[in-house]
């Protein structure tokens, strides 16, 4: 059953670490998986995500060379920062240590408004 007003309560946050060799790593994860009720390819979902990011109050970038887009997104109105990926015919919102629920909810609402189908939302966590 599609979730009209899903909860974006964050059950756990990843912990940011800085390895001695440089860079940044995250221990643990919380991911909200947004799945369209209509069958959409990853390419169609990537285009939809790009349209949402381009049309609204987001600053974003695809900074890594991966086999799929990985966007670092900042909602300029809420100041929430999170990562967005498209994988396995779903849009995934990856919580960062300072991410709040409002930014995730706003992205979901914009994605839903920009598409022609209902969406379901599931939350997945992994804290080892």
């Amino acid at each position: 059953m599609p979730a009209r007003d899903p909860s974006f309560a964050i059950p756990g946050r990843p912990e940011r670490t800085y390895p001695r060799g440089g860079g940044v790593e995250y221990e643990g994860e919380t991911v909200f998986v947004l799945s369209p009720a209509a069958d959409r390819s990853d390419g169609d979902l990537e285009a939809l995500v790009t349209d949402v990011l381009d049309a609204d109050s987001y600053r974003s970038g695809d900074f890594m060379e991966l086999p799929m887009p990985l966007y670092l997104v900042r909602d300029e109105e809420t100041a929430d920062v999170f990562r967005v990926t498209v994988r396995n015919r779903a849009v995934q919102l990856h919580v960062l240590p300072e991410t709040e629920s409002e930014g995730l909810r706003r992205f979901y609402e914009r994605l839903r408004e920009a598409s022609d189908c209902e969406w379901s939302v599931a939350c997945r966590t992994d804290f080892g």
Side-chain angles (χ1 to χ4, degrees), residues 50-62:
T50 301
D51 288 347
V52 169
L53 293 174
D54 289 346
D56 240 307
S57 62
Y58 293 107
R59 216 178 344 160
S60 65
D62 180 10

Side-chain angles (χ1 to χ4, degrees), residues 36 40 48 52 109-119:
R40 300 286 188 266
L48 180 60
V52 169
E109 289 169 358
R110 289 174 173 150
L111 189 70
R112 193 179 60 166
E113 289 171 6
S115 68
D116 58 356
C117 67
E118 294 296 321
W119 293 76

Side-chain angles (χ1 to χ4, degrees), residues 13 22 46 68 71 82 113 116:
R13 298 174 188 283
E46 289 170 15
M68 65 181 186
Y71 297 99
F82 50 94
E113 289 171 6
D116 58 356

Side-chain angles (χ1 to χ4, degrees), residues 27-77:
E27 294 178 13
E29 76 173 341
T30 295
V31 179
F32 289 89
V33 180
L34 315 180
S35 301
D39 188 30
R40 300 286 188 266
S41 70
D42 283 353
D44 290 343
L45 293 175
E46 289 170 15
L48 180 60
V49 166
T50 301
D51 288 347
V52 169
L53 293 174
D54 289 346
D56 240 307
S57 62
Y58 293 107
R59 216 178 344 160
S60 65
D62 180 10
F63 298 104
M64 300 181 173
E65 294 202 22
L66 298 172
M68 65 181 186
L70 170 66
Y71 297 99
L72 182 62
V73 175
R74 175 184 166 90
D75 183 315
E76 291 297 323
E77 292 180 25

Side-chain angles (χ1 to χ4, degrees), residues 74-118:
R74 175 184 166 90
D75 183 315
E76 291 297 323
E77 292 180 25
T78 66
D80 285 317
V81 178
F82 50 94
R83 292 181 300 197
V84 177
T85 61
V86 174
R87 224 175 146 172
N88 300 325
R89 299 180 181 263
V91 176
Q92 299 181 359
L93 308 181
H94 298 257
V95 172
L96 296 174
E98 294 83 20
T99 304
E100 295 296 335
S101 297
E102 185 59 25
L104 301 173
R105 182 181 333 287
R106 287 167 43 91
F107 186 87
Y108 162 76
E109 289 169 358
R110 289 174 173 150
L111 189 70
R112 193 179 60 166
E113 289 171 6
S115 68
D116 58 356
C117 67
E118 294 296 321

